[in-house]
Amino acid sequence: MPTKQAAAAFARAERAFMAHLPDAGPALAACLAADPAHAVAYAVQGLGALSLGRAALRPVAVAAHARAVTHTGADIRAAAFAGALGLWLDGNMLAAAARLEAHLDADPSDALAFKLAHGMRFMGGDAPGMLRASAQAVRRFPADIPLGSFVLGCHAFSLEEAGDYSAAEVVGLAAVEADAADAWGLHAVAHVYEMTGQALRGADWLEKSQPDWQLCNNFGLHVAWHLALFRLELGEGEAALALYDAAIRPIPSDEYRDVANAVSLLVRLEQLGHSAGDRWAALVDHARDFAADDALVFAMLHRLVAAQQSGAAATRAAIAQALDALAERVHDQGQVAARVGAKLARLIDGQGADEADLDATLAALPEIGGSHAQRDVFVRLLAERAFLRGDWAQARYILAFRHRNRVPDRFCRELLQSRRDHATPAADLRT
């Protein structure tokens, strides 16, 4: 049986995972120091390692899985967590999420199992599954269950990604009201304001809640990224750059989410006429160092953009080659690379596509994981590439796809204005 010290440490780790606090790792270590046979703690360590999306951390997850299995015994919860870790190690991320969700049938109050499965579906690009699971969880988790209110934040985000912005805002606000530490719920509300064009309201929301999200782990850097998007939309490019330097990439980081924040913000800044200065250099160094890392298509594509934007042709080619090789594999990320990753890489590189191929790639884009707001950098680049090729019909097609999920914004308006500026007097600007 776990000691009181181990149980207390694991409870701290659970809350840290739910609230994106930085002490999850130390709390798990304390748990295992007090109880070296804590199978669930080992499994959570392994799942956490895989969630970082780096091939170099796979051995950490393999070792954690071996220890979890050794100590599982007849513990149903441990079997579920260890089983999920094993499935993810086999390349079946979404099956791993399903394994944890199946465990919830036996223990509907296991908030950590739900949160980890939610994160897997998010990384794995399964927004419908994310919504289905969160809707069921909300029905199961009364507010008085420990950590149960955090399920509201996950449900708010699931609703937002499904395009139900009104409901997402209501549920997200309720999540933060229930627990101010619910950074995921707070961030879901920010997504609503981003997608519905409420930049001033979004900036105000994040600035007022800054004392809460600044307590987060690197997720706080992502929330700062959202604040920079609002500032950029409001025409405050210098403020967005200041946030980049002080709050989004204050120190070098190889964590793929941090890199994605940085790459996508710099692309947006440059598309709206602001200079990134020498900020691309560190990102290109990262892209070169991780060019062969094929753990996650989402991460690979952001590295490819960093290389492409910086003119690092050899690095860009190496990442594209790694995507092509990954597309030959049969696991989850291999299928994502085959259906969308390798094709998108070629489109980002400026290669044209016929309407059917482009439509298929755009339709499959959610499979790379991330949010609509995060994937928007790729859609913006495709629209820009089409415009620069003079293919205005394709640019309009891409913008129409983009506006299924969000209202037209500054980028759209400026691209349209650029089209007008380049049109001949007799040109029909409606085409």
Side-chain angles (χ1 to χ4, degrees):
M1 293 292 291
T3 65
K4 288 184 179 179
Q5 293 91 336
F10 191 76
R12 292 197 301 274
E14 286 185 294
R15 180 169 179 83
F17 271 105
M18 302 301 288
H20 297 269
L21 297 175
D23 52 345
L28 282 176
C31 171
L32 289 168
D35 178 12
H38 200 299
V40 177
Y42 285 122
V44 173
Q45 276 190 332
L47 291 167
L50 292 182
S51 75
L52 295 175
R54 288 179 57 183
L57 295 176
R58 179 180 171 83
V60 175
V62 169
H65 180 250
R67 295 187 182 101
V69 170
T70 297
H71 297 294
T72 290
D75 188 326
I76 295 174
R77 188 188 195 199
F81 279 71
L85 176 54
L87 286 166
W88 197 347
L89 281 169
D90 288 339
N92 303 311
M93 188 191 307
L94 297 182
R99 178 68 182 89
L100 288 176
E101 290 161 355
H103 163 64
L104 292 171
D105 293 334
D107 184 3
S109 66
D110 195 335
L112 179 60
F114 166 75
K115 175 70 171 179
L116 290 169
H118 179 82
M120 292 174 202
R121 293 205 181 277
F122 175 57
M123 286 181 68
D126 183 17
M130 202 164 59
L131 179 59
R132 182 176 62 251
S134 69
Q136 184 178 47
V138 165
R139 294 192 295 269
R140 286 174 160 177
F141 281 79
D144 58 349
I145 290 179
L147 304 179
S149 69
F150 285 93
V151 173
L152 287 176
C154 294
H155 187 47
F157 183 74
S158 301
L159 288 165
E160 182 277 327
E161 288 300 292
D164 192 347
Y165 299 132
S166 296
E169 181 180 9
V170 170
V171 175
L173 291 173
V176 177
E177 178 67 23
D179 194 324
D182 193 342
W184 194 251
L186 180 151
H187 142 272
V189 175
H191 270 267
V192 170
Y193 298 149
E194 163 74 10
M195 303 306 283
T196 56
Q198 300 181 73
L200 188 59
R201 191 175 182 186
D204 183 63
W205 167 249
L206 292 184
E207 286 177 342
K208 285 182 176 178
S209 58
Q210 192 165 357
D212 295 311
W213 56 261
Q214 278 191 326
L215 298 174
C216 291
N217 54 21
N218 69 314
F219 185 65
L221 309 182
H222 179 67
V223 180
W225 173 79
H226 277 282
L227 180 56
L229 297 192
F230 291 132
R231 287 295 163 213
L232 192 55
E233 181 63 18
L234 292 167
E236 302 170 13
E238 291 304 314
L241 276 168
L243 280 165
Y244 181 97
D245 294 332
I248 296 169
R249 198 165 176 81
I251 58 174
S253 168
D254 289 325
E255 215 282 341
Y256 83 88
R257 298 171 182 88
D258 300 344
V259 173
N261 295 333
V263 168
S264 59
L265 181 57
L266 292 188
V267 168
R268 286 168 167 84
L269 282 159
E270 291 188 336
Q271 285 179 326
L272 295 176
H274 304 281
S275 172
D278 61 358
R279 294 174 179 86
W280 280 116
L283 296 172
V284 139
D285 288 344
H286 164 85
R288 183 188 62 247
D289 293 343
F290 286 83
D293 191 315
D294 62 357
L296 198 64
V297 171
F298 180 88
M300 297 172 79
L301 288 168
H302 279 88
R303 294 178 197 125
L304 183 138
V305 169
Q308 197 279 338
Q309 293 294 104
S310 304
T315 298
R316 182 188 64 208
I319 297 170
Q321 184 177 8
L323 278 163
D324 286 336
L326 181 61
E328 298 298 320
R329 303 182 65 184
V330 296
H331 57 47
D332 284 4
Q333 287 300 296
Q335 294 174 30
V336 172
R339 284 196 291 262
V340 59
K343 296 176 183 177
L344 183 58
R346 288 189 283 274
L347 291 172
I348 291 170
D349 200 31
Q351 301 177 31
D354 60 35
E355 185 171 321
D357 193 37
L358 176 63
D359 190 52
T361 303
L362 290 173
L365 187 58
E367 295 181 26
I368 70 171
S371 66
H372 290 305
Q374 288 176 307
R375 294 188 301 269
D376 188 45
V377 66
F378 304 119
V379 183
R380 292 166 67 119
L381 282 168
L382 295 183
E384 183 182 57
R385 299 287 189 269
F387 172 74
L388 292 175
R389 286 195 309 271
D391 191 345
W392 184 241
Q394 190 166 99
R396 288 179 65 248
Y397 181 82
I398 295 167
L399 289 175
F401 169 84
R402 184 172 184 261
H403 297 146
R404 295 176 192 175
N405 298 313
R406 62 178 306 136
V407 299
D409 57 357
R410 181 177 293 272
F411 168 73
C412 178
R413 293 192 298 272
E414 296 208 2
L415 191 64
L416 289 170
Q417 184 59 52
S418 180
R419 163 65 173 166
R420 294 186 180 95
D421 292 345
H422 287 81
T424 62
D428 183 354
L429 298 178
R430 295 171 298 174
T431 61

